[in-house]
Amino acid sequence: MRILLVEDDALLGDGTRAGLRLAGYAVDWAQDGEAASVALRGQKYDAIVLDLGLPRRDGLALLRELRGRDVLTPVLILTARDTREDKVAGLDAGADDYLTKPFDLEELQARLRALLRRAGGPPAAALAHGPVSMDPAGRRVLRAGQPVALSAREFTLLHDLLAHKGRIRSKSELEESLYAWGEEIESNTVEVYIHHLRKKLGADFIRTVRGLGYVVGES
Ligand code: CA
């Protein structure tokens, strides 16, 4: 899943991005309101973590613009503005959740999970194939009822394949769900994670479609 983090504070942004990456999200980080707006026109996100006090365009203005364009991506406001009036204004502008700084990374992660759960995504039943099922909100994978331990990247890759069940995913599409902007892509990463997933889920679980990519289920 891909998150847009909008935060102008370099230290805080860096730490938040690192924490969210560890949780398995691909995180794009925009450092002002205008950069965020540009990012949102070019890329679909599963959620936005939005600071309010931003250079070039204020977070609230950005949020109103988004909702005005009928962009329904879940938004969690993450700000030092902590008065009741601020919270009311943020939620009324279209935010789905509001967390004030200083914040706890675990709480941010839990709130994001809740947000993504409420936003739905593919219904849980759809994120299953054969003996393998995935609970994306709880970040759990079962094979024949037994938990399977996956790394964050393996989880992300499997999530992408299951969410597009029956459709061939090219290597570059899979790379896009694994990597955020500016992250260096190692040339054989997708192959390596597919190899790990096959070991854990069964050799036939993910099929290679020569020259096109990979697929779970019938394509
Ligand atoms: Ca700020």
Side-chain angles (χ1 to χ4, degrees), residues 24 139 148-157 193 196-197 200:
R139 304 197 70 76
V148 182
L150 298 183
S151 73
R153 296 274 207 211
E154 289 164 7
F155 187 92
T156 300
L157 196 60
Y193 291 124
H196 290 170
L197 285 172
K200 293 178 181 182

Side-chain angles (χ1 to χ4, degrees), residues 53-81:
L54 292 167
R56 295 176 79 199
R57 189 181 310 177
D58 183 78
L60 270 189
L62 178 67
L63 179 55
R64 290 198 183 100
E65 180 215 300
L66 280 184
R67 295 310 189 222
R69 287 199 283 125
D70 284 333
V71 176
L72 299 176
T73 312
V75 171
L76 184 153
I77 290 179
L78 184 58
T79 179
R81 297 181 193 168

Side-chain angles (χ1 to χ4, degrees), residues 34-127:
E34 201 51 46
S37 178
V38 170
L40 284 158
R41 285 170 189 277
Q43 172 80 48
K44 197 180 169 310
Y45 291 96
D46 297 291
I48 303 166
V49 175
L50 180 66
D51 183 22
L52 292 183
L54 292 167
R56 295 176 79 199
R57 189 181 310 177
D58 183 78
L60 270 189
L62 178 67
L63 179 55
R64 290 198 183 100
E65 180 215 300
L66 280 184
R67 295 310 189 222
R69 287 199 283 125
D70 284 333
V71 176
L72 299 176
T73 312
V75 171
L76 184 153
I77 290 179
L78 184 58
T79 179
R81 297 181 193 168
D82 60 358
T83 68
R84 189 182 54 198
E85 290 79 4
D86 288 323
K87 291 178 189 169
V88 169
L91 293 167
D92 280 348
D96 299 276
D97 199 359
Y98 199 106
L99 185 60
T100 54
K101 297 170 185 169
F103 66 98
D104 179 87
L105 195 55
E106 272 185 46
E107 182 177 357
L108 173 62
Q109 290 172 353
R111 282 174 182 267
L112 267 179
R113 284 196 297 274
L115 210 61
L116 293 164
R117 200 158 55 224
R118 285 200 297 274
L127 288 182

